[in-house]
Amino acid sequence: MHNFGAHQNAGSANAMSTEPMNLLILMSDEHTRRMTGCYGHDIVKTPNLDALAARGVRFDRAYVNCPICVPSRANFMTGQYIHQSGHWDNAHAWKGEPEGWSHRLTDQGHVATTIGKLHFHDVSDPNGLTESRVAMNIFKGRGDYFSSMRWRRLKGKISHTGDTTMEAGPGESHYTRFDRAATAEACSWLENESQGHDKPWCLMVSLLCPHPPLIAPQEFYDMYPLDEVDMPIAWSPEQWPDHPYWNEARPWRLPFDGDVYYSEEQVRRAIAAYYGITSFMDYNFGLVLAALEASGQAENTRIIYTSDHGEMLGGFGLWGKMCMYEDSVGTPLIIAGPDIPRGRTQQTIVSWADVFPTVLEGVGASLRQDDGALPGDSLWPLAKGESDLDRVAFSEYHAARSPSGNFMICDQRYKYVYYAAGYPPQLFDLQEDPQELNDLHASPAHSKIRNRLHEKLLEICDPEAVNEQAFADQRTLIDGYGGEDHVAAEGPIIGATPTPVEFYEDGVQR
């Protein structure tokens, strides 16, 4: 396990007494926080999440600690930052080590069951879970190791993002079929297997949508006429920021090697499809919540809704996640339950590092002595009305199409982004500039703020040492797959992670 610096906080899962109850975790994939009705978006329709927020607490400043799928989910389970656990990218998947909250629960006699996407290494690993149904993990136990080779720019070797955006529209995909099956299995579990347990249970239902492919079932796609969708933040090339890191990294993330860009019609079609599969996700979680009510367990079950990261959806010319802009690193977070205040918002900054102690305290399980060194704190006191405006969020990124490590420190007002290997940092005043259009890193008037946030970063890790270790581990991984020339000749083997074959149609993913 890598450890390059001090932790941000000491864990405090028992800061406030919380009655043990069942816990239902609802997790989507790639859901941009602001693209939710209850977060103020006036086009995206999410009636079930809106209703959940109306009877619970909506966290407006929640962040993931790494904005890409596999590392984010390892962080979700373990409570450790990526530089501590070494889950650098989509080929470094969690194998049950270091142990997660699932181990603490099952070791203490609680049921910890998952249904749907995991993005771990393999279902056979000792991950501490009671069982995993309709499970989906990294491709063939290897994942996207081609993208681990980020020191080598390969013209013509672009990710799936461009292709799937170009193909956006109505229909069914292996992802929508998977989500229908996971939803049905979750409803069945709640209706038939949620009763009669000796201790409170934890059920995590993890859907794929609204992750690309951007194919929405017809009735949901039709909810968003193309001329009514809103356009992305700074979406056209003349609006893109002139920053050395992004000038180098953006072409690696654009279709056709960056030689052409999408038309406005193509962008609108992609947005309509994304909104459609967001509403499809909301519909499925509505079915799960209805099944919880029908089971008779709602009065002794708390609910957490979140997503493993956001989606840039064309903002600043970026598609996917993989950056520290709000639409990528921010996550929706809603908590509801019998003892949770109704219809409140919480402005305290929180992150996925807080999930580990939150799950344990929620069901009544105990931390182990060495868990006290984890960086997170239980969210229940915050959900019940406490506030701590001095908290900061930390995030890092070392994965696909990044020429250097990215590190974020975000406090109540400012966001500082540090790029390793000599790229200039970025600084945004989120209070005055919530869309992050005005980079203040070179402003003399903000030098003290920039220096203060950089010191906060150094309290958590040495970013240059972390960057070197990430590249070293990724080179070792590539060597294990035959070396970079072999991997380069092999090319990308996957786009969006394939579902189990039963969700394909006519033998293909679509």
Side-chain angles (χ1 to χ4, degrees):
M1 182 178 74
H2 305 293
N3 189 352
F4 295 95
H7 300 293
Q8 176 185 344
N9 304 305
S12 58
N14 296 309
M16 173 181 283
S17 176
T18 298
E19 178 187 352
M21 291 187 190
N22 302 323
L23 180 60
L24 173 61
I25 300 173
L26 306 177
M27 186 188 296
S28 61
D29 194 317
E30 207 147 327
H31 181 200
T32 302
R33 179 174 60 204
R34 69 181 177 89
M35 295 176 186
T36 316
C38 63
Y39 279 95
H41 204 285
D42 58 3
I43 297 175
V44 180
K45 299 174 178 65
T46 51
N48 295 296
L49 295 180
D50 299 351
L52 187 66
R55 62 184 179 92
V57 176
R58 186 192 76 211
F59 286 77
D60 287 354
R61 301 296 305 280
Y63 294 90
V64 295
N65 301 115
C66 182
I68 194 170
C69 301
V70 172
S72 188
R73 289 166 185 268
N75 162 248
F76 186 86
M77 297 301 297
T78 68
Q80 295 195 16
Y81 293 142
I82 302 310
H83 65 269
Q84 297 168 336
S85 68
H87 296 101
W88 302 112
D89 57 31
N90 277 357
H92 287 85
W94 189 54
K95 299 180 180 180
E97 175 61 35
E99 290 188 347
W101 52 256
S102 50
H103 294 87
R104 302 292 179 270
L105 265 56
T106 53
D107 286 350
Q108 296 173 51
H110 298 269
V111 167
T113 294
T114 64
I115 298 173
K117 179 178 179 176
L118 296 174
H119 239 177
F120 303 159
H121 171 256
D122 188 83
V123 73
S124 65
D125 292 329
N127 56 28
L129 292 164
T130 305
E131 64 174 330
S132 298
R133 302 182 182 180
V134 198
M136 174 178 157
N137 288 297
I138 63 170
F139 185 59
K140 294 185 177 180
R142 294 185 172 191
D144 182 19
Y145 58 86
F146 176 87
S147 293
S148 301
M149 195 172 59
R150 56 196 174 96
W151 59 88
R152 181 164 172 169
R153 298 276 293 276
L154 297 169
K155 190 173 179 64
K157 302 294 187 180
I158 299 297
S159 78
H160 69 286
T161 304
D163 291 340
T164 59
T165 304
M166 296 287 284
E167 296 171 358
E172 295 285 344
S173 72
H174 60 134
Y175 272 32
T176 58
R177 288 187 287 270
F178 180 95
D179 278 3
R180 293 184 193 277
T183 298
E185 187 64 32
C187 292
S188 175
W189 193 96
L190 289 165
E191 292 166 1
N192 302 311
E193 301 177 58
S194 62
Q195 302 87 356
H197 298 280
D198 294 334
K199 291 186 175 183
W201 46 257
C202 177
L203 174 67
M204 183 169 75
V205 182
S206 181
L207 301 185
L208 296 175
C209 290
H211 190 290
L214 297 177
I215 305 294
Q218 187 75 56
E219 64 181 293
F220 295 96
Y221 183 81
D222 290 344
M223 295 167 65
Y224 302 102
L226 298 189
D227 61 349
E228 295 181 11
V229 301
D230 51 332
M231 295 298 286
I233 298 169
W235 73 277
S236 60
E238 62 271 14
Q239 298 173 299
W240 296 345
D242 182 17
H243 185 275
Y245 173 88
W246 286 115
N247 291 344
E248 181 174 346
R250 183 183 288 105
W252 209 356
R253 294 176 56 168
L254 291 177
F256 309 113
D257 292 329
D259 295 334
V260 298
Y261 191 57
Y262 304 124
S263 67
E264 181 175 336
E265 181 182 357
Q266 289 170 325
V267 172
R268 288 184 178 277
R269 191 168 66 240
I271 292 170
Y274 180 84
Y275 290 177
I277 49 179
T278 298
S279 293
F280 174 71
M281 171 269 292
D282 178 87
Y283 168 79
N284 284 316
F285 280 142
L287 297 177
V288 175
L289 292 170
L292 175 65
E293 290 286 342
S295 74
Q297 298 293 300
E299 291 307 311
N300 65 334
T301 302
R302 299 188 188 93
I303 302 160
I304 296 175
Y305 168 72
T306 190
S307 192
D308 62 347
H309 47 70
E311 159 65 59
M312 290 302 294
L313 204 62
F316 302 98
L318 303 174
W319 296 83
K321 46 276 185 184
M322 307 179 290
C323 64
M324 299 304 168
Y325 286 112
E326 287 287 292
D327 280 356
S328 167
V329 74
T331 186
L333 178 63
I334 301 168
I335 294 180
D339 61 340
I340 302 299
R342 298 176 66 89
R344 290 190 183 178
T345 59
Q346 175 58 270
Q347 298 302 317
T348 295
I349 288 178
V350 299
S351 79
W352 268 28
D354 299 316
V355 169
F356 188 108
T358 300
V359 171
L360 266 63
E361 184 182 5
V363 301
S366 300
L367 290 167
R368 212 166 59 183
Q369 185 173 2
D370 56 339
D371 293 334
L374 292 172
D377 300 300
S378 173
L379 295 172
W380 302 118
L382 297 176
K384 293 177 181 179
E386 289 191 5
S387 182
D388 181 1
L389 298 182
D390 291 331
R391 297 188 99 220
V392 299
F394 167 78
S395 191
E396 59 189 307
Y397 182 74
H398 310 280
R401 295 174 292 287
S402 177
S404 75
N406 301 188
F407 303 83
M408 180 198 80
I409 293 289
C410 188
D411 68 10
Q412 203 63 36
R413 179 168 179 174
Y414 293 97
K415 176 190 289 186
Y416 173 70
V417 183
Y418 180 87
Y419 299 93
Y423 295 98
Q426 291 180 298
L427 179 69
F428 298 103
D429 182 344
L430 297 180
Q431 178 177 300
E432 299 297 325
D433 177 29
Q435 291 192 329
E436 303 170 284
L437 297 171
N438 185 20
D439 183 0
L440 302 171
H441 87 274
S443 165
H446 293 83
S447 61
K448 289 183 179 180
I449 295 167
R450 184 178 62 248
N451 292 339
R452 174 176 59 81
L453 294 177
H454 188 75
E455 288 300 316
K456 285 282 188 183
L457 171 60
L458 295 180
E459 290 174 9
I460 296 173
C461 70
D462 176 346
E464 296 296 337
V466 169
N467 184 57
E468 290 178 8
Q469 186 65 59
F471 274 110
D473 289 355
Q474 287 163 332
R475 288 182 183 277
T476 298
L477 178 79
I478 294 299
D479 287 345
Y481 287 125
E484 62 179 279
D485 289 341
H486 174 79
V487 173
E490 186 180 47
I493 57 172
I494 60 171
T497 301
T499 56
V501 68
E502 60 264 32
F503 301 106
Y504 288 15
E505 183 177 59
D506 300 328
V508 297
Q509 290 183 25
R510 184 182 174 91

